[in-house]
Amino acid sequence: MIAPEFFYAALIVMIGAFLALLRVFFGPSVPDRVVGVDTLNTLIVAGMVLLGAAYDRTIYIDIAIVYALLSYVGTLAIAKYLQGGLE
Amino acid sequence: MKNDMGLIVKTTARATIPLIGIFGAYVVSHGHLTPGGGFQGGATIAGAGILFLIAFGLGEMKRRYNHHLYSALEGLGGLVFLGAAMLGLGVAFFYNTLWHNGPVFNGQPGTLLSAGYLPIMNLAVGLKVFAGLVSAMVAIAAFRRWDE
């Protein structure tokens, strides 16, 4: 049972992720790219949840949760580096 | 330079670190039922350790981190994996004797206490990966060459 409306929603999210990817490619400064990657992470989490609903698999949501938690850590690491690093 | 991050990050880390740890433990212990397993869950729990290191700084991490304990835990993980593999040595190496005629871990397939030695091996690999990654991250963070 594959619901097509979830695929359309995932396609829209993918278009948004492509726009965020453009900011990562052409961002003039480093914080621009970091914000682009952070937006991309959130959109990918949304895409994972939508695709999990589209394929009707509950266990795919676990991967979205892990990705959401660890992308937060990654963004925090880059922010700490830009702030001046450890010590 | 301040060693830790701001108040918001620290408070959020206090709320998030148990969440990541519990979810990593869920991934490890359900490694034979859901996606993930030892390495993925161990890396997720190590992500909680890295979040602690980032949010609270190296000084606090050095105070909480015991090198000998983590080294021993990593060795223990490898030894438990090897011990679980040797359980069915009467038939063959890696023979799943817990599943065929063992006292525990032989429930209905699909339940938590099933699949023989797989949950034990997942726990061992998760412990090993967690201890190894956190040790590696603390060692890299403590490496200071450009300060002096």
Side-chain angles (χ1 to χ4, degrees):
Chain A
M1 186 189 71
I2 290 180
E5 58 265 23
F6 290 116
F7 276 114
Y8 298 143
L11 190 67
I12 293 171
V13 166
M14 206 186 297
I15 292 170
F18 179 72
L19 293 177
L21 203 61
L22 286 181
R23 176 54 72 195
V24 178
F25 283 155
F26 301 116
S29 69
V30 176
D32 285 338
R33 296 172 200 264
V34 175
V35 171
V37 168
D38 201 24
T39 311
L40 196 58
N41 283 333
T42 312
L43 288 175
I44 283 174
V45 170
M48 280 180 181
V49 173
L50 284 171
L51 286 180
Y55 287 110
D56 200 16
R57 296 275 195 275
T58 318
I59 50 179
Y60 289 175
I61 308 298
D62 289 359
I63 298 147
I65 296 172
V66 170
Y67 190 85
L69 291 172
L70 291 187
S71 71
Y72 159 64
V73 177
T75 307
L76 207 58
I78 299 174
K80 178 147 186 136
Y81 174 71
L82 293 178
Q83 190 194 23
L86 280 169
E87 295 295 307
Chain B
M1 191 160 296
K2 269 173 67 78
N3 201 5
D4 53 358
M5 296 189 83
L7 179 66
I8 298 175
V9 173
K10 280 198 283 186
T11 309
T12 314
R14 278 194 192 97
T16 318
I17 286 171
L19 189 65
I20 299 179
I22 289 172
F23 202 82
Y26 159 74
V27 170
V28 170
S29 60
H30 288 72
H32 51 300
L33 302 175
T34 62
F39 184 83
Q40 287 82 3
T44 309
I45 306 174
I50 292 165
L51 176 59
F52 184 88
L53 174 65
I54 290 171
F56 293 98
L58 185 59
E60 185 72 24
M61 189 70 182
K62 272 181 180 169
R63 217 169 296 134
R64 305 290 176 89
Y65 170 80
N66 186 356
H67 174 68
H68 299 289
L69 174 67
Y70 275 72
S71 189
L73 280 181
E74 190 178 357
L76 181 72
L79 284 179
V80 168
F81 187 91
L82 197 59
M86 284 189 173
L87 274 180
L89 206 56
V91 179
F93 194 48
F94 276 99
Y95 179 70
N96 198 344
T97 186
L98 275 183
W99 167 248
H100 290 291
N101 44 15
V104 289
F105 292 119
N106 53 0
Q108 185 74 24
T111 59
L112 186 58
L113 294 177
S114 66
Y117 59 25
L118 278 184
I120 304 172
M121 283 185 163
N122 275 325
L123 287 174
V125 171
L127 182 67
K128 186 171 171 56
V129 168
F130 162 69
L133 282 181
V134 169
S135 301
M137 286 307 295
V138 172
I140 290 171
F143 180 76
R144 305 192 304 165
R145 199 166 122 201
W146 45 83
D147 279 354
E148 53 218 9

Tab-separated table of all heavy atoms in Angstrom, chain A residues 16-53:
chain	number	residue	atom	x	y	z
A	16	GLY	N	12.667	22.017	-1.937
A	16	GLY	CA	13.185	22.922	-0.907
A	16	GLY	C	14.607	22.575	-0.517
A	16	GLY	O	15.449	23.468	-0.324
A	17	ALA	N	14.906	21.282	-0.439
A	17	ALA	CA	16.266	20.860	-0.101
A	17	ALA	C	17.231	21.266	-1.202
A	17	ALA	O	18.375	21.655	-0.922
A	17	ALA	CB	16.303	19.347	0.108
A	18	PHE	N	16.773	21.210	-2.460
A	18	PHE	CA	17.634	21.654	-3.564
A	18	PHE	C	17.937	23.141	-3.456
A	18	PHE	O	19.064	23.590	-3.680
A	18	PHE	CB	16.961	21.332	-4.894
A	18	PHE	CG	17.758	21.768	-6.083
A	18	PHE	CD1	18.920	21.089	-6.442
A	18	PHE	CD2	17.360	22.850	-6.837
A	18	PHE	CE1	19.654	21.494	-7.526
A	18	PHE	CE2	18.097	23.256	-7.922
A	18	PHE	CZ	19.248	22.583	-8.269
A	19	LEU	N	16.920	23.934	-3.066
A	19	LEU	CA	17.153	25.369	-2.898
A	19	LEU	C	18.140	25.633	-1.762
A	19	LEU	O	19.010	26.505	-1.871
A	19	LEU	CB	15.823	26.084	-2.632
A	19	LEU	CG	14.852	26.068	-3.811
A	19	LEU	CD1	13.559	26.735	-3.433
A	19	LEU	CD2	15.470	26.747	-5.005
A	20	ALA	N	18.024	24.849	-0.661
A	20	ALA	CA	18.982	25.009	0.436
A	20	ALA	C	20.379	24.592	-0.008
A	20	ALA	O	21.375	25.192	0.413
A	20	ALA	CB	18.546	24.176	1.641
A	21	LEU	N	20.449	23.587	-0.899
A	21	LEU	CA	21.741	23.142	-1.412
A	21	LEU	C	22.402	24.222	-2.257
A	21	LEU	O	23.625	24.362	-2.257
A	21	LEU	CB	21.534	21.873	-2.234
A	21	LEU	CG	22.726	20.946	-2.408
A	21	LEU	CD1	23.179	20.456	-1.051
A	21	LEU	CD2	22.339	19.769	-3.262
A	22	LEU	N	21.579	25.014	-2.964
A	22	LEU	CA	22.136	26.127	-3.720
A	22	LEU	C	22.822	27.119	-2.788
A	22	LEU	O	23.898	27.647	-3.104
A	22	LEU	CB	21.025	26.832	-4.502
A	22	LEU	CG	20.492	26.098	-5.727
A	22	LEU	CD1	19.414	26.941	-6.384
A	22	LEU	CD2	21.617	25.833	-6.696
A	23	ARG	N	22.222	27.344	-1.613
A	23	ARG	CA	22.856	28.245	-0.649
A	23	ARG	C	24.173	27.645	-0.145
A	23	ARG	O	25.140	28.375	0.058
A	23	ARG	CB	21.878	28.524	0.505
A	23	ARG	CG	22.439	29.356	1.611
A	23	ARG	CD	23.027	30.655	1.114
A	23	ARG	NE	22.025	31.605	0.694
A	23	ARG	CZ	22.296	32.671	-0.037
A	23	ARG	NH1	23.525	32.916	-0.411
A	23	ARG	NH2	21.325	33.480	-0.401
A	24	VAL	N	24.199	26.317	0.027
A	24	VAL	CA	25.458	25.697	0.453
A	24	VAL	C	26.521	25.857	-0.626
A	24	VAL	O	27.689	26.126	-0.347
A	24	VAL	CB	25.226	24.210	0.785
A	24	VAL	CG1	26.530	23.549	1.181
A	24	VAL	CG2	24.239	24.074	1.914
A	25	PHE	N	26.117	25.726	-1.907
A	25	PHE	CA	27.108	25.842	-2.978
A	25	PHE	C	27.594	27.273	-3.149
A	25	PHE	O	28.786	27.526	-3.226
A	25	PHE	CB	26.503	25.348	-4.298
A	25	PHE	CG	26.430	23.864	-4.386
A	25	PHE	CD1	25.504	23.247	-5.204
A	25	PHE	CD2	27.306	23.072	-3.663
A	25	PHE	CE1	25.439	21.879	-5.296
A	25	PHE	CE2	27.253	21.702	-3.738
A	25	PHE	CZ	26.317	21.113	-4.565
A	26	PHE	N	26.660	28.219	-3.201
A	26	PHE	CA	27.017	29.580	-3.593
A	26	PHE	C	27.087	30.545	-2.419
A	26	PHE	O	27.175	31.742	-2.634
A	26	PHE	CB	26.007	30.115	-4.614
A	26	PHE	CG	25.950	29.271	-5.847
A	26	PHE	CD1	24.810	28.591	-6.188
A	26	PHE	CD2	27.065	29.142	-6.660
A	26	PHE	CE1	24.758	27.796	-7.322
A	26	PHE	CE2	27.024	28.360	-7.792
A	26	PHE	CZ	25.874	27.689	-8.123
A	27	GLY	N	27.035	30.007	-1.168
A	27	GLY	CA	27.047	30.913	-0.023
A	27	GLY	C	28.320	31.731	0.005
A	27	GLY	O	29.411	31.176	-0.052
A	28	PRO	N	28.234	33.039	0.089
A	28	PRO	CA	29.475	33.815	0.039
A	28	PRO	C	30.339	33.642	1.284
A	28	PRO	O	31.556	33.683	1.190
A	28	PRO	CB	28.995	35.261	-0.107
A	28	PRO	CG	27.595	35.262	0.365
A	28	PRO	CD	27.042	33.914	0.117
A	29	SER	N	29.721	33.405	2.444
A	29	SER	CA	30.517	33.269	3.658
A	29	SER	C	30.257	31.899	4.287
A	29	SER	O	29.333	31.182	3.899
A	29	SER	CB	30.172	34.376	4.655
A	29	SER	OG	28.875	34.182	5.150
A	30	VAL	N	31.099	31.544	5.259
A	30	VAL	CA	30.976	30.237	5.896
A	30	VAL	C	29.677	30.097	6.698
A	30	VAL	O	29.015	29.065	6.597
A	30	VAL	CB	32.217	29.969	6.768
A	30	VAL	CG1	32.071	28.668	7.520
A	30	VAL	CG2	33.457	29.921	5.919
A	31	PRO	N	29.257	31.092	7.506
A	31	PRO	CA	27.982	30.918	8.228
A	31	PRO	C	26.781	30.726	7.310
A	31	PRO	O	25.846	30.013	7.668
A	31	PRO	CB	27.861	32.210	9.046
A	31	PRO	CG	29.244	32.643	9.250
A	31	PRO	CD	29.961	32.300	8.013
A	32	ASP	N	26.837	31.323	6.104
A	32	ASP	CA	25.757	31.071	5.141
A	32	ASP	C	25.662	29.586	4.815
A	32	ASP	O	24.579	28.994	4.797
A	32	ASP	CB	26.005	31.856	3.861
A	32	ASP	CG	25.695	33.321	4.056
A	32	ASP	OD1	24.926	33.619	4.984
A	32	ASP	OD2	26.235	34.141	3.298
A	33	ARG	N	26.809	28.994	4.567
A	33	ARG	CA	26.812	27.570	4.229
A	33	ARG	C	26.345	26.725	5.412
A	33	ARG	O	25.667	25.711	5.241
A	33	ARG	CB	28.216	27.140	3.815
A	33	ARG	CG	28.685	27.837	2.563
A	33	ARG	CD	30.136	27.530	2.309
A	33	ARG	NE	30.735	28.513	1.430
A	33	ARG	CZ	30.862	28.345	0.130
A	33	ARG	NH1	30.466	27.251	-0.429
A	33	ARG	NH2	31.399	29.285	-0.613
A	34	VAL	N	26.748	27.139	6.635
A	34	VAL	CA	26.337	26.361	7.809
A	34	VAL	C	24.823	26.408	7.973
A	34	VAL	O	24.178	25.378	8.254
A	34	VAL	CB	27.043	26.896	9.077
A	34	VAL	CG1	26.531	26.165	10.296
A	34	VAL	CG2	28.526	26.703	8.964
A	35	VAL	N	24.250	27.594	7.782
A	35	VAL	CA	22.796	27.697	7.889
A	35	VAL	C	22.126	26.886	6.782
A	35	VAL	O	21.093	26.234	7.001
A	35	VAL	CB	22.373	29.185	7.846
A	35	VAL	CG1	20.870	29.313	7.726
A	35	VAL	CG2	22.844	29.885	9.097
A	36	GLY	N	22.754	26.885	5.586
A	36	GLY	CA	22.212	26.066	4.506
A	36	GLY	C	22.223	24.586	4.851
A	36	GLY	O	21.249	23.862	4.605
A	37	VAL	N	23.326	24.120	5.447
A	37	VAL	CA	23.408	22.702	5.823
A	37	VAL	C	22.394	22.380	6.915
A	37	VAL	O	21.777	21.306	6.909
A	37	VAL	CB	24.853	22.371	6.274
A	37	VAL	CG1	24.906	21.015	6.938
A	37	VAL	CG2	25.775	22.382	5.088
A	38	ASP	N	22.207	23.315	7.856
A	38	ASP	CA	21.241	23.079	8.931
A	38	ASP	C	19.823	22.975	8.383
A	38	ASP	O	19.047	22.087	8.765
A	38	ASP	CB	21.344	24.219	9.944
A	38	ASP	CG	20.798	23.819	11.286
A	38	ASP	OD1	20.771	22.605	11.555
A	38	ASP	OD2	20.406	24.699	12.049
A	39	THR	N	19.492	23.859	7.457
A	39	THR	CA	18.177	23.766	6.807
A	39	THR	C	18.021	22.463	6.044
A	39	THR	O	16.975	21.817	6.084
A	39	THR	CB	18.010	24.951	5.847
A	39	THR	OG1	18.362	26.145	6.525
A	39	THR	CG2	16.593	25.050	5.356
A	40	LEU	N	19.117	22.079	5.373
A	40	LEU	CA	19.101	20.829	4.605
A	40	LEU	C	18.858	19.635	5.528
A	40	LEU	O	18.101	18.714	5.181
A	40	LEU	CB	20.438	20.696	3.883
A	40	LEU	CG	20.559	19.703	2.746
A	40	LEU	CD1	19.542	20.037	1.692
A	40	LEU	CD2	21.943	19.777	2.177
A	41	ASN	N	19.475	19.652	6.732
A	41	ASN	CA	19.268	18.563	7.690
A	41	ASN	C	17.799	18.452	8.076
A	41	ASN	O	17.223	17.356	8.063
A	41	ASN	CB	20.097	18.826	8.948
A	41	ASN	CG	21.551	18.515	8.748
A	41	ASN	OD1	21.888	17.686	7.927
A	41	ASN	ND2	22.392	19.196	9.475
A	42	THR	N	17.188	19.589	8.398
A	42	THR	CA	15.783	19.554	8.806
A	42	THR	C	14.895	19.061	7.669
A	42	THR	O	13.974	18.260	7.893
A	42	THR	CB	15.355	20.959	9.255
A	42	THR	OG1	16.322	21.468	10.155
A	42	THR	CG2	14.018	20.901	9.940
A	43	LEU	N	15.203	19.521	6.443
A	43	LEU	CA	14.383	19.088	5.309
A	43	LEU	C	14.563	17.603	5.026
A	43	LEU	O	13.612	16.915	4.632
A	43	LEU	CB	14.734	19.916	4.074
A	43	LEU	CG	14.230	21.357	4.136
A	43	LEU	CD1	14.726	22.140	2.956
A	43	LEU	CD2	12.717	21.369	4.180
A	44	ILE	N	15.787	17.099	5.250
A	44	ILE	CA	16.013	15.667	5.023
A	44	ILE	C	15.260	14.846	6.058
A	44	ILE	O	14.712	13.774	5.752
A	44	ILE	CB	17.525	15.377	5.027
A	44	ILE	CG1	18.124	15.832	3.705
A	44	ILE	CG2	17.809	13.905	5.218
A	44	ILE	CD1	19.610	15.721	3.648
A	45	VAL	N	15.201	15.354	7.309
A	45	VAL	CA	14.410	14.650	8.323
A	45	VAL	C	12.938	14.609	7.910
A	45	VAL	O	12.278	13.553	7.993
A	45	VAL	CB	14.588	15.326	9.700
A	45	VAL	CG1	13.588	14.762	10.683
A	45	VAL	CG2	15.982	15.095	10.208
A	46	ALA	N	12.437	15.748	7.416
A	46	ALA	CA	11.046	15.771	6.946
A	46	ALA	C	10.849	14.796	5.784
A	46	ALA	O	9.845	14.066	5.726
A	46	ALA	CB	10.668	17.189	6.519
A	47	GLY	N	11.822	14.759	4.858
A	47	GLY	CA	11.719	13.828	3.741
A	47	GLY	C	11.749	12.374	4.184
A	47	GLY	O	11.025	11.534	3.640
A	48	MET	N	12.588	12.075	5.205
A	48	MET	CA	12.635	10.700	5.710
A	48	MET	C	11.307	10.288	6.316
A	48	MET	O	10.825	9.167	6.086
A	48	MET	CB	13.727	10.577	6.771
A	48	MET	CG	15.119	10.435	6.242
A	48	MET	SD	16.236	10.319	7.626
A	48	MET	CE	17.788	10.186	6.782
A	49	VAL	N	10.691	11.198	7.102
A	49	VAL	CA	9.401	10.861	7.714
A	49	VAL	C	8.344	10.661	6.637
A	49	VAL	O	7.548	9.700	6.681
A	49	VAL	CB	8.994	11.971	8.713
A	49	VAL	CG1	7.594	11.735	9.216
A	49	VAL	CG2	9.958	12.008	9.871
A	50	LEU	N	8.361	11.544	5.622
A	50	LEU	CA	7.353	11.421	4.557
A	50	LEU	C	7.554	10.143	3.751
A	50	LEU	O	6.576	9.471	3.391
A	50	LEU	CB	7.426	12.645	3.644
A	50	LEU	CG	6.818	13.906	4.239
A	50	LEU	CD1	7.126	15.084	3.362
A	50	LEU	CD2	5.323	13.734	4.395
A	51	LEU	N	8.814	9.791	3.481
A	51	LEU	CA	9.045	8.565	2.724
A	51	LEU	C	8.726	7.328	3.560
A	51	LEU	O	8.275	6.316	3.013
A	51	LEU	CB	10.484	8.517	2.223
A	51	LEU	CG	10.761	9.454	1.053
A	51	LEU	CD1	12.199	9.349	0.626
A	51	LEU	CD2	9.858	9.131	-0.122
A	52	GLY	N	8.980	7.426	4.886
A	52	GLY	CA	8.567	6.326	5.750
A	52	GLY	C	7.067	6.118	5.738
A	52	GLY	O	6.578	4.984	5.770
A	53	ALA	N	6.311	7.237	5.681
A	53	ALA	CA	4.858	7.117	5.567
A	53	ALA	C	4.458	6.615	4.189
A	53	ALA	O	3.504	5.852	4.040
A	53	ALA	CB	4.206	8.472	5.846
